[in-house]
Amino acid sequence: MSAVLCERIEAIYQQVIARNPGEDEFHQAVKEVLESLGPVLVKYPEFSEQKIIERICEPERQIIFRVPWQDDRGEVHINRGFRVQFNSAIGPYKGGLRFHPSVYLGIIKFLGFEQVFKNALTGMPIGGGKGGSDFDPKGRSDDEVMRFCQSFMTELYRHLGEYCDVPAGDIGVGGREIGYLFGQYKRLTNRYESGVLTGKGIGWGGSLVRKEATGYGAVYFVREMLKARKSGLEGKSCVVSGSGNVAIYTIEKLQQLGAKVIACSDSHGVVIHERGIDLSLVKQLKEVERRRIADYATRHKDARYLAGGNIWEIPCQVAMPSATQNELNGRDAVALVKNGCIAVGEGANMPTTPEGVRVFLEAKIAFGPGKAANAGGVATSALEMQQNASRDSWTFAYTEKKLDEIMTRIHADTYATAEEFGASGNYVAGANIAGFINVANAMVALGLI
Ligand code: GLU
């Protein structure tokens, strides 16, 4: 890359920092993409001339709103709601809602930015957006969660629509929350507009496999990375961080494909079960009882629980970070590589810090970045939208086959793109470049938008 080009990209990055002060996660996500784009501008000078990078880094629209609600004792709470409609060049804004106390504009913008490229990689007609709130659903009753969701949607509904913006779940937003949100949307608009939200329940517009899709898809991606190296998942020892929706279905598919999952975690600690994680117990604790993973060890005497433990210090061949952003740092990456890890697939969004990514790329292990590896969730959301639009519902086997084909294709595209742009084996570059080119081409075609 020429010095002038380097300077140009650095200047764009500095402008992003200056215009979005204090939004560290957003800066991190932008930097990672910009670092891949030098060779793209050489090949496509029109992207430079049309200032596509500058435009892509600025969301089309950002909505911030008050969410007042009452708890079961009648006390009033005020949370902040967000929806960042990042890019709609290739389809309606699409991306989840996150309810977690850490949520602020910088988190939603990093997630929305990632979503633009991820969605483009799926090959489906979906733009990128993300939303959420700093509301903490932990410890709240069903009634409280319902009142919160109704208040949240009372503002958000005016910004949504099946042709405009289609939210789904993310951390803290699952089937229960999507139900309350959809119910309130339906009531406010007096329309049964199934395609306005995805992750709906089976029986009221939901798609089979959507719940499993992010985890299953991430495992398919790792399977493909290993296949490209003439290896496979059979018999591999794996650790999966987290124990939420993504982690649970990552474990399920790993086990189905003959791998052995020896550890999972939550924000309080790590469970190690050398015999293999008992997934039905994890599902019972997390999906039914909504409890901590610490309880796993009280019900399985041969499992160990490490309060505050670091899951990345456990020797394994495959690691799947499936909890949250920046959960795996440079030191963790060094420990994994030293202990013999050969593949990492990101089920979460941006779980590996830039130092961690550097360690994996330098060690030349198979590293699948979230943008590519966890795209199965949103891809299956797009399949749900297809079913809604055609008033149809597909079987589990048919939908899962489609998911598998999409993940296999994303792997092939990111692999080939990395090759083409001189970054052989580097899926970070492959995913950033392939996603960017799809969106950039559409933006050029649509004029100055
Ligand atoms: N929150 C998921 C993601 O990060 C899914 C989004 C969706 O299905 O719209 O991709």
Side-chain angles (χ1 to χ4, degrees):
M1 203 194 327
S2 74
V4 179
L5 197 52
C6 261
E7 267 171 38
R8 169 104 199 258
I9 290 179
E10 178 59 26
I12 297 174
Y13 179 57
Q14 288 309 328
Q15 205 188 7
V16 168
I17 296 179
R19 284 168 74 95
N20 304 277
E23 297 175 359
D24 295 351
E25 297 83 359
F26 179 50
H27 304 163
Q28 182 184 333
V30 168
K31 187 165 191 218
E32 192 216 81
V33 171
L34 295 198
E35 280 174 351
S36 304
L37 294 183
V40 181
L41 295 191
V42 174
K43 188 161 176 196
Y44 299 90
E46 66 270 32
F47 294 165
S48 256
E49 284 149 24
Q50 307 251 343
K51 297 203 174 163
I52 297 291
I53 305 184
E54 290 90 327
R55 281 194 269 153
I56 243 173
C57 291
E58 181 70 17
E60 289 177 15
R61 192 175 297 109
Q62 307 182 53
I63 302 146
I64 304 181
F65 51 100
R66 178 170 69 202
V67 189
W69 59 281
Q70 260 180 317
D71 68 21
D72 288 342
R73 294 173 313 161
E75 195 185 324
V76 171
H77 298 261
I78 294 106
N79 283 99
R80 191 170 277 186
F82 302 89
R83 187 72 183 167
V84 174
Q85 299 180 329
F86 228 108
N87 195 300
S88 61
I90 62 173
Y93 309 108
K94 181 82 197 86
L97 298 170
R98 176 177 292 192
F99 291 169
H100 191 271
S102 65
V103 163
Y104 76 106
L105 189 57
I107 294 269
I108 300 300
K109 270 158 78 175
F110 116 65
L111 290 164
F113 186 74
E114 294 265 304
Q115 200 82 48
V116 172
F117 305 98
K118 182 196 310 192
N119 293 5
L121 280 176
T122 66
M124 332 273 294
I126 41 178
K130 204 83 186 191
S133 174
D134 55 1
F135 170 70
D136 187 359
K138 281 222 173 71
R140 290 292 171 194
S141 69
D142 282 356
D143 284 348
E144 289 173 326
V145 170
M146 180 180 74
R147 286 197 292 274
F148 176 81
C149 288
Q150 291 181 336
S151 180
F152 185 86
M153 187 53 91
T154 299
E155 171 57 34
L156 190 64
Y157 87 98
R158 71 191 80 244
H159 307 289
L160 305 183
E162 66 169 312
Y163 297 110
C164 171
D165 185 352
V166 183
D170 195 86
I171 294 172
V173 177
R176 173 183 62 172
E177 291 74 19
I178 294 294
Y180 297 148
L181 291 164
F182 183 66
Q184 185 71 353
Y185 183 87
K186 189 177 81 58
R187 189 177 176 209
L188 287 164
T189 58
N190 193 29
R191 281 160 64 91
Y192 205 104
E193 189 186 333
S194 302
V196 74
L197 284 170
T198 60
K200 300 180 294 297
I202 308 305
W204 45 278
S207 170
L208 290 166
V209 193
R210 177 61 192 89
K211 187 170 69 170
E212 295 83 357
T214 310
Y216 280 19
V219 176
Y220 292 142
F221 194 88
V222 170
R223 181 198 65 197
E224 291 302 304
M225 291 198 298
L226 290 175
K227 204 188 278 173
R229 293 170 175 237
K230 313 257 176 293
S231 182
L233 277 165
E234 181 89 39
K236 294 281 187 302
S237 61
C238 308
V239 303
V240 179
S241 66
S243 46
N245 175 267
V246 178
I248 285 174
Y249 294 98
T250 295
I251 296 172
E252 185 161 286
K253 187 50 75 182
L254 283 170
Q255 291 179 342
Q256 285 174 9
L257 297 185
K260 187 172 177 195
V261 183
I262 53 174
C264 65
S265 62
D266 66 12
S267 53
H268 291 240
V270 178
V271 152
I272 307 174
H273 204 171
E274 297 290 351
R275 195 149 59 83
I277 290 288
D278 171 359
L279 187 60
S280 56
L281 177 56
V282 178
K283 282 187 183 175
Q284 175 66 23
L285 290 172
K286 289 291 173 174
E287 290 184 338
V288 183
E289 298 176 26
R290 296 182 192 268
R291 300 173 81 91
R292 292 262 159 227
I293 205 70
D295 290 6
Y296 184 103
T298 64
R299 299 193 202 176
H300 262 300
K301 292 299 169 215
D302 55 341
R304 276 182 298 142
Y305 176 68
L306 307 176
N310 183 353
I311 194 165
W312 311 122
E313 287 169 5
I314 301 167
C316 65
Q317 293 164 294
V318 175
M320 304 213 41
S322 309
T324 195
Q325 68 273 357
N326 293 329
E327 56 164 314
L328 195 169
N329 62 27
R331 229 173 327 117
D332 300 328
V334 169
L336 280 165
V337 172
K338 189 167 89 42
N339 288 332
C341 181
I342 57 164
V344 175
E346 293 188 329
N349 289 313
M350 207 170 74
T352 311
T353 64
E355 298 73 39
V357 173
R358 210 166 303 131
V359 171
F360 291 143
L361 294 180
E362 275 167 18
K364 297 209 178 307
I365 70 163
F367 175 68
K371 252 181 231 110
N374 74 34
V378 76
T380 308
S381 278
L383 299 179
E384 182 173 334
M385 291 163 74
Q386 274 186 24
Q387 291 168 79
N388 294 150
S390 58
R391 300 179 187 278
D392 197 0
S393 51
W394 306 338
T395 64
F396 194 97
Y398 179 77
T399 317
E400 192 184 8
K401 187 165 161 280
K402 286 211 164 245
L403 168 64
D404 192 343
E405 285 165 5
I406 292 167
M407 295 313 298
T408 303
R409 194 174 32 71
I410 293 175
H411 174 271
D413 286 352
T414 49
Y415 186 91
T417 304
E419 281 288 293
E420 183 190 338
F421 285 86
S424 186
N426 180 342
Y427 294 97
V428 177
N432 289 337
I433 295 172
F436 177 82
I437 289 176
N438 289 348
V439 180
N441 277 331
M443 287 177 74
V444 170
L446 297 187
L448 187 52
I449 55 165

